[in-house]
C-alpha cells in the first residue's frame, strides 16, 4: 500500500513537472499598467487601488457615489511614485446596463490605454434567515455581486485577447467557499463567481490571460460594519470564531496573487485551509500548489468537520434558547 501511494505521488509530481511550463504565468509588471477597480471608492477596493498605485500603476476607479470617488482619488494620489500617474474616476452602476459599462470602459481605455488588470470588487451583502429576506434582495444581490463582475469583464476581455495579456480578479468571499447561517442571499452570488472564474480561465489561458478569485475573510470595511448591524445571532457567533482582517492586508495579498497569476487568493491560515478543501477541479499555477492540495486535503477535511460540528452546535443552541424564551413569554 505504501509503495502504491509513493508511486502515485511520484507520478503526480512528474505529471505536474511536464505541464508546469503551461501553468506558470509570467508576473504582470504594474509600473505603467492600467488597473481598473470596480467598487473602488471604499473598503478592499480602495486599498487595492492604493496598493497598485504605490507600485506605479495608472488607476481607473469605478463606483456609484461620485463624491466618495473624488475623495478616494485625492487619498490615492498621495501615494504616487512619479508625476505621470493618473487616477481616473467614473461614476456608474456596473450591475444595471452592460452597454453603459462597456462605453465607460472604452472611454477609460482611450484616456489611460488598454486595461492590463481588472479588479471586480463591487459588491454588497444582506444577512438574515432565508424566510425573512425579501425576495427582491436575492435578485439585487445576484445583480450586484455577479452581473456586476460579468459586465466589466465582458467589456475588457476582447482587448486583452488581442494583446495576449491581462489579469482579471473576482473578489468573492470565504462565504463563497462555505455556506453559512444567515448568508442564503449572499453566499450563492459569491459561489457563482467561482464557476465563472473557472470557466473563463479555461477560455482565456491560451491568450496569456489569468484569472484570480479572491476569498477574503471578514474584513474591517464600511460594508462589513453595516452588515454587522443586521446579522442574526447565529451568524455573529460563527463569525467570531475567526478574527477580522484589515483591508490593507487583504489588498496586498490579492494584488500579489493577481500579479503572479494565481487562481486562488486567500488570507490567513483559515483561508489557506478553505482554499485547499474547496480546490476541487480548480486550476493550479505551480507544482507546489498542486502537491499541497493532494497532501493536505485529508487532514484539512478532518479539521473542517470539527468546524462544521461547532457551527451546527451554535445554531442548535440558539434555536433552543429562542424556543425556551418564547415558551416563557407564553406562560407569563
Amino acid at each position: 500500500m505504501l509503495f502504491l501511494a509513493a508511486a502515485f505521488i511520484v507520478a503526480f509530481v512528474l505529471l505536474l513537472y511536464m505541464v508546469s511550463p503551461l501553468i506558470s504565468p509570467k508576473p504582470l509588471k504594474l509600473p505603467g499598467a492600467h488597473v481598473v477597480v470596480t467598487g473602488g471608492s471604499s473598503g478592499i477596493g480602495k486599498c487595492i487601488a492604493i496598493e497598485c498605485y504605490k507600485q506605479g500603476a495608472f488607476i481607473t476607479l469605478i463606483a456609484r457615489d461620485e463624491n466618495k470617488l473624488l475623495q478616494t482619488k485625492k487619498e490615492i494620489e498621495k501615494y504616487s511614485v512619479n508625476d505621470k500617474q493618473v487616477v481616473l474616476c467614473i461614476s456608474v452602476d456596473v450591475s444595471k446596463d452592460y452597454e453603459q459599462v462597456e462605453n465607460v470602459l472604452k472611454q477609460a481605455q482611450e484616456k489611460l490605454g488598454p486595461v492590463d488588470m481588472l479588479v471586480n470588487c463591487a459588491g454588497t451583502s444582506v444577512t438574515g434567515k432565508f424566510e425573512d429576506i425579501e425576495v427582491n434582495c436575492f435578485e439585487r444581490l445576484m445583480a450586484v455581486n455577479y452581473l456586476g463582475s460579468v459586465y466589466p469583464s465582458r467589456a475588457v476581455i476582447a482587448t486583452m485577447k488581442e494583446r495576449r495579456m491581462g489579469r482579471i480578479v473576482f473578489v468573492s468571499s470565504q462565504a463563497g467557499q462555505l455556506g453559512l447561517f444567515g448568508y442564503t442571499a449572499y453566499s450563492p452570488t459569491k459561489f457563482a463567481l467561482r464557476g465563472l472564474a473557472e470557466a473563463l480561465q479555461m477560455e482565456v489561458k491560451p491568450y496569456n490571460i489569468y484569472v484570480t478569485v479572491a476569498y477574503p475573510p471578514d474584513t474591517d470595511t464600511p460594508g462589513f460594519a453595516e452588515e454587522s448591524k443586521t446579522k442574526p445571532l447565529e451568524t455573529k457567533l460563527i463569525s467570531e470564531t475567526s478574527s477580522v482582517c484589515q483591508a490593507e492586508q487583504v489588498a496586498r495579498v490579492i494584488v500579489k496573487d493577481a500579479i503572479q497569476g494565481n487562481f486562488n487568493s486567500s488570507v490567513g491560515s483559515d483561508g489557506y485551509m478553505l482554499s485547499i478543501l474547496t480546490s476541487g477541479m480548480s486550476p493550479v499555477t505551480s507544482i507546489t500548489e498542486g502537491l499541497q492540495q493532494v497532501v493536505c486535503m485529508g487532514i484539512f477535511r478532518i479539521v473542517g468537520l470539527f468546524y462544521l460540528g461547532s457551527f451546527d452546535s451554535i445554531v442548535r443552541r440558539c434555536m433552543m434558547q429562542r424556543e425556551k424564551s418564547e415558551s416563557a413569554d407564553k406562560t407569563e
Side-chain angles (χ1 to χ4, degrees), residues 37-51 61-63 68-69 72 75-76 119 121-123 171 216-217 219-225 245-252 254-255:
V37 184
T38 71
S41 63
S42 64
I44 294 174
K46 180 177 79 170
C47 291
I48 287 174
I50 290 174
E51 182 64 25
L61 290 177
I62 297 178
K68 282 187 178 179
L69 279 170
T72 302
E75 186 175 344
I76 293 173
V119 183
C121 202
V171 179
T219 305
D220 186 11
T221 65
F224 177 72
C245 289
Q246 296 302 308
E248 293 82 3
Q249 175 194 4
V250 172
R252 283 194 295 270
I254 292 174
V255 171

Coordinates of all heavy atoms in Angstrom, one line a residue, residues 37-51 61-63 68-69 72 75-76 119 121-123 171 216-217 219-225 245-252 254-255:
V37 N -10.5 49.3 -11.1 CA -11.1 48.7 -9.9 C -12.5 49.1 -9.7 O -12.8 50.3 -9.6 CB -10.3 49.1 -8.6 CG1 -10.8 48.5 -7.4 CG2 -8.8 48.9 -8.8
T38 N -13.4 48.2 -9.8 CA -14.8 48.5 -9.5 C -15.1 48.4 -8.0 O -14.4 47.7 -7.3 CB -15.8 47.5 -10.3 OG1 -15.7 46.2 -9.7 CG2 -15.4 47.4 -11.7
G39 N -16.0 49.2 -7.6 CA -16.2 49.2 -6.1 C -15.0 49.8 -5.4 O -14.7 49.4 -4.3
G40 N -14.4 50.7 -6.1 CA -13.1 51.2 -5.7 C -13.1 52.5 -4.8 O -12.1 53.0 -4.4
S41 N -14.3 52.9 -4.4 CA -14.4 54.1 -3.6 C -14.2 53.9 -2.1 O -14.1 54.8 -1.3 CB -15.7 54.8 -3.8 OG -16.8 54.0 -3.4
S42 N -14.2 52.6 -1.6 CA -14.1 52.3 -0.2 C -13.7 50.9 0.0 O -13.6 50.1 -1.0 CB -15.4 52.6 0.5 OG -16.4 51.7 0.1
G43 N -13.4 50.5 1.2 CA -13.1 49.1 1.6 C -11.9 48.5 0.9 O -10.9 49.1 0.6
I44 N -12.1 47.2 0.6 CA -11.0 46.5 -0.1 C -10.6 47.0 -1.4 O -9.5 47.1 -1.8 CB -11.4 45.0 -0.2 CG1 -11.5 44.3 1.2 CG2 -10.4 44.2 -1.0 CD1 -12.1 42.9 1.2
G45 N -11.7 47.5 -2.2 CA -11.4 48.0 -3.5 C -10.5 49.3 -3.4 O -9.6 49.4 -4.2
K46 N -10.8 50.1 -2.5 CA -9.9 51.3 -2.4 C -8.5 50.9 -2.0 O -7.5 51.5 -2.6 CB -10.5 52.3 -1.3 CG -9.7 53.5 -1.1 CD -10.3 54.5 -0.1 CE -10.0 54.0 1.3 NZ -10.4 55.1 2.3
C47 N -8.3 50.0 -1.1 CA -7.0 49.6 -0.7 C -6.2 48.9 -1.8 O -5.0 49.0 -1.9 CB -7.1 48.7 0.6 SG -7.6 49.5 2.0
I48 N -7.0 48.1 -2.7 CA -6.3 47.5 -3.8 C -5.8 48.6 -4.8 O -4.7 48.5 -5.3 CB -7.3 46.6 -4.5 CG1 -7.5 45.3 -3.7 CG2 -6.8 46.2 -5.9 CD1 -8.6 44.4 -4.3
A49 N -6.7 49.6 -5.0 CA -6.3 50.7 -5.9 C -5.0 51.4 -5.3 O -4.1 51.8 -6.1 CB -7.4 51.7 -6.0
I50 N -5.0 51.7 -4.0 CA -3.8 52.3 -3.4 C -2.6 51.4 -3.6 O -1.5 51.9 -3.9 CB -4.1 52.6 -1.9 CG1 -5.1 53.7 -1.7 CG2 -2.8 52.9 -1.2 CD1 -5.6 53.9 -0.3
E51 N -2.7 50.1 -3.3 CA -1.6 49.2 -3.4 C -1.0 49.2 -4.9 O 0.2 49.2 -5.1 CB -2.0 47.8 -3.0 CG -0.9 46.8 -3.1 CD 0.2 47.0 -2.0 OE1 -0.1 47.7 -1.0 OE2 1.3 46.6 -2.3
L61 N -11.0 54.2 -11.2 CA -11.9 53.8 -10.1 C -13.3 53.9 -10.6 O -13.7 54.9 -11.2 CB -11.7 54.8 -8.9 CG -10.5 54.8 -8.1 CD1 -10.5 55.9 -7.0 CD2 -10.3 53.4 -7.4
I62 N -14.1 52.8 -10.4 CA -15.5 52.8 -10.8 C -16.3 52.5 -9.5 O -16.1 51.6 -8.8 CB -15.7 51.8 -11.9 CG1 -14.9 52.1 -13.1 CG2 -17.2 51.7 -12.2 CD1 -15.1 51.1 -14.2
A63 N -17.3 53.4 -9.3 CA -18.3 53.2 -8.2 C -19.5 54.1 -8.5 O -19.5 54.9 -9.5 CB -17.6 53.5 -6.9
K68 N -17.8 60.1 -3.1 CA -16.8 59.2 -2.5 C -15.6 58.9 -3.4 O -14.5 58.8 -3.0 CB -17.5 57.9 -2.2 CG -18.3 57.9 -0.9 CD -18.8 56.5 -0.6 CE -19.6 56.4 0.7 NZ -20.1 55.1 1.0
L69 N -15.9 58.8 -4.7 CA -14.9 58.6 -5.7 C -13.9 59.8 -5.7 O -12.7 59.5 -5.7 CB -15.5 58.5 -7.1 CG -16.1 57.1 -7.5 CD1 -16.9 57.3 -8.8 CD2 -15.0 56.1 -7.6
T72 N -11.8 59.6 -2.6 CA -10.8 58.5 -2.7 C -9.7 58.8 -3.7 O -8.5 58.5 -3.4 CB -11.5 57.2 -3.2 OG1 -12.6 56.9 -2.3 CG2 -10.6 56.0 -3.3
E75 N -7.1 60.8 -1.9 CA -6.4 59.9 -1.0 C -5.3 59.1 -1.7 O -4.2 58.9 -1.3 CB -7.3 59.0 -0.2 CG -6.7 58.2 0.9 CD -7.7 57.4 1.7 OE1 -8.9 57.7 1.7 OE2 -7.2 56.5 2.5
I76 N -5.7 58.5 -2.8 CA -4.8 57.6 -3.6 C -3.6 58.4 -4.2 O -2.5 58.0 -4.1 CB -5.6 56.9 -4.7 CG1 -6.6 56.0 -4.2 CG2 -4.6 56.2 -5.7 CD1 -7.5 55.3 -5.2
V119 N -10.1 44.6 -11.6 CA -10.4 44.0 -10.3 C -11.9 44.2 -10.0 O -12.3 45.4 -9.8 CB -9.5 44.7 -9.2 CG1 -9.9 44.0 -7.8 CG2 -8.1 44.5 -9.5
C121 N -14.5 44.4 -7.7 CA -14.7 44.4 -6.2 C -16.0 45.0 -5.8 O -16.3 45.0 -4.6 CB -13.5 45.3 -5.6 SG -13.2 44.9 -3.9
A122 N -16.8 45.4 -6.8 CA -18.2 45.9 -6.4 C -19.0 44.8 -5.8 O -19.1 43.7 -6.4 CB -18.8 46.5 -7.7
G123 N -19.6 45.1 -4.7 CA -20.5 44.1 -4.1 C -21.2 44.6 -2.9 O -20.9 45.7 -2.4
V171 N -13.4 39.4 -6.7 CA -13.3 39.4 -5.3 C -14.6 38.7 -4.7 O -15.7 39.2 -4.7 CB -13.2 40.8 -4.7 CG1 -13.2 40.7 -3.2 CG2 -11.9 41.5 -5.2
P216 N -11.6 36.8 0.5 CA -11.2 37.5 1.8 C -12.1 37.0 2.9 O -13.3 36.7 2.8 CB -11.5 39.0 1.5 CG -12.4 39.0 0.3 CD -12.1 37.7 -0.5
P217 N -11.6 37.0 4.2 CA -12.4 36.7 5.4 C -13.1 38.0 5.8 O -13.1 39.0 5.1 CB -11.3 36.3 6.4 CG -10.1 37.2 6.0 CD -10.2 37.3 4.5
T219 N -13.6 41.4 7.0 CA -12.6 42.5 6.8 C -13.2 43.8 7.3 O -14.3 44.1 7.1 CB -12.2 42.6 5.3 OG1 -11.7 41.3 4.8 CG2 -11.0 43.6 5.2
D220 N -12.4 44.5 8.0 CA -12.8 45.8 8.6 C -13.0 46.8 7.6 O -12.1 47.6 7.2 CB -11.7 46.2 9.6 CG -12.2 47.5 10.4 OD1 -13.4 47.8 10.3 OD2 -11.4 48.1 11.1
T221 N -14.2 46.9 7.0 CA -14.6 47.8 6.0 C -15.9 48.5 6.4 O -16.7 47.9 7.2 CB -14.7 47.2 4.6 OG1 -15.8 46.2 4.7 CG2 -13.5 46.4 4.2
P222 N -16.3 49.6 5.7 CA -17.6 50.2 6.0 C -18.8 49.2 5.7 O -19.8 49.1 6.4 CB -17.7 51.4 5.0 CG -16.2 51.7 4.8 CD -15.5 50.4 4.9
G223 N -18.6 48.4 4.6 CA -19.6 47.4 4.3 C -19.8 46.3 5.3 O -20.9 45.9 5.7
F224 N -18.7 45.9 5.9 CA -18.7 44.9 7.0 C -19.4 45.5 8.2 O -20.2 44.8 8.9 CB -17.3 44.4 7.4 CG -17.3 43.4 8.5 CD1 -17.7 42.1 8.3 CD2 -16.8 43.8 9.7 CE1 -17.7 41.2 9.4 CE2 -16.7 42.9 10.8 CZ -17.2 41.6 10.6
A225 N -19.1 46.7 8.5 CA -19.7 47.4 9.7 C -21.2 47.5 9.5 O -22.0 47.3 10.4 CB -19.1 48.8 9.9
C245 N -9.9 40.8 9.6 CA -8.6 41.3 9.0 C -8.8 42.8 8.6 O -9.8 43.3 8.5 CB -8.3 40.5 7.7 SG -7.8 38.8 8.1
Q246 N -7.6 43.4 8.4 CA -7.6 44.8 7.9 C -7.6 44.8 6.4 O -7.0 43.9 5.7 CB -6.3 45.5 8.4 CG -6.3 45.6 9.9 CD -7.5 46.4 10.5 OE1 -7.8 47.5 10.0 NE2 -8.1 45.8 11.5
A247 N -8.3 45.8 5.8 CA -8.5 45.9 4.4 C -7.1 46.0 3.7 O -6.9 45.4 2.6 CB -9.4 47.0 4.0
E248 N -6.2 46.7 4.3 CA -4.8 46.9 3.7 C -4.1 45.6 3.5 O -3.5 45.3 2.5 CB -4.0 47.8 4.5 CG -4.5 49.3 4.6 CD -5.6 49.5 5.6 OE1 -6.0 48.5 6.3 OE2 -6.1 50.6 5.6
Q249 N -4.2 44.7 4.5 CA -3.6 43.4 4.5 C -4.2 42.5 3.4 O -3.5 41.9 2.6 CB -3.7 42.7 5.8 CG -3.2 41.3 5.9 CD -3.6 40.5 7.1 OE1 -4.4 41.0 7.9 NE2 -3.2 39.2 7.2
V250 N -5.5 42.5 3.3 CA -6.2 41.7 2.3 C -5.9 42.2 0.9 O -5.6 41.4 0.0 CB -7.8 41.8 2.5 CG1 -8.5 41.2 1.4 CG2 -8.1 41.2 3.8
A251 N -5.8 43.5 0.7 CA -5.5 44.1 -0.6 C -4.1 43.7 -1.0 O -3.9 43.4 -2.2 CB -5.6 45.6 -0.5
R252 N -3.1 43.7 -0.1 CA -1.7 43.4 -0.5 C -1.7 41.9 -1.0 O -1.0 41.6 -2.0 CB -0.8 43.5 0.7 CG -0.4 45.0 1.0 CD 0.8 45.1 1.9 NE 0.4 44.6 3.3 CZ -0.1 45.3 4.2 NH1 -0.3 46.6 4.0 NH2 -0.4 44.8 5.4
I254 N -4.2 40.1 -2.3 CA -4.9 40.0 -3.6 C -4.1 40.5 -4.7 O -3.9 39.9 -5.8 CB -6.3 40.7 -3.5 CG1 -7.2 40.1 -2.6 CG2 -6.9 40.8 -4.9 CD1 -8.5 40.8 -2.3
V255 N -3.4 41.7 -4.6 CA -2.6 42.3 -5.6 C -1.4 41.4 -5.9 O -1.1 41.1 -7.1 CB -2.1 43.7 -5.2 CG1 -1.1 44.2 -6.2 CG2 -3.3 44.6 -5.2

